[in-house]
Amino acid sequence: EMDWSPGVMEQAEDRCHRVGQDDSVQVQYYVFKDTIDEWIAKSLLYKQSNIDQILPGKSVGVESGYIFDFGKHNGVRLEDAPQNYVQFLVREEVWRNRPDLWR
């Protein structure tokens, strides 16, 4: 279940990697079209984009795990994609007119 705050989401993901955890952990969020989760996911990306603009620089060792599987940045991690491209995707709600992105 997604929270409204990027910080809370990051903290919840970090709790999966507790001290003493020997196995790898992969956190996945399923977001379906026309649900509240879609709106929350968009809001989280927008908020994280604002946070990144206010507090430049990446946290060492923190990765979202999101990898683009479409568009000109196919195969690129979210952290490595140009910030203006991510902002464009969020602002223009690109996925609304691209049902092929919802697999």
Side-chain angles (χ1 to χ4, degrees):
E1 185 172 314
M2 299 200 313
D3 193 86
W4 294 97
S5 167
V8 171
M9 295 290 291
E10 185 176 330
Q11 183 183 33
E13 293 169 8
D14 288 345
R15 282 195 302 266
C16 294
H17 302 275
R18 294 185 184 270
V19 174
Q21 175 70 18
D22 294 330
D23 298 324
S24 63
V25 176
Q26 180 177 356
V27 178
Q28 294 181 334
Y29 297 101
Y30 294 99
V31 179
F32 296 95
K33 186 176 181 181
D34 297 327
T35 64
I36 188 68
D37 284 339
E38 176 187 14
W39 196 87
I40 293 172
K42 177 187 170 195
S43 177
L44 285 168
L45 285 172
Y46 179 75
K47 289 176 182 181
Q48 188 62 51
S49 174
N50 286 338
I51 290 168
D52 292 342
Q53 288 176 11
I54 295 168
L55 303 172
K58 294 181 170 58
S59 300
V60 176
V62 175
E63 297 180 4
S64 71
Y66 298 108
I67 298 176
F68 285 101
D69 61 354
F70 65 92
K72 63 183 180 181
H73 296 290
N74 189 17
V76 174
R77 297 177 327 144
L78 178 62
E79 295 83 16
D80 297 333
Q83 196 64 242
N84 61 348
Y85 179 68
V86 175
Q87 291 169 351
F88 166 77
L89 293 175
V90 172
R91 182 179 60 248
E92 299 298 323
E93 299 183 352
V94 171
W95 61 85
R96 289 211 184 266
N97 298 321
R98 298 278 312 275
D100 57 308
L101 299 178
W102 294 91
R103 293 184 225 147

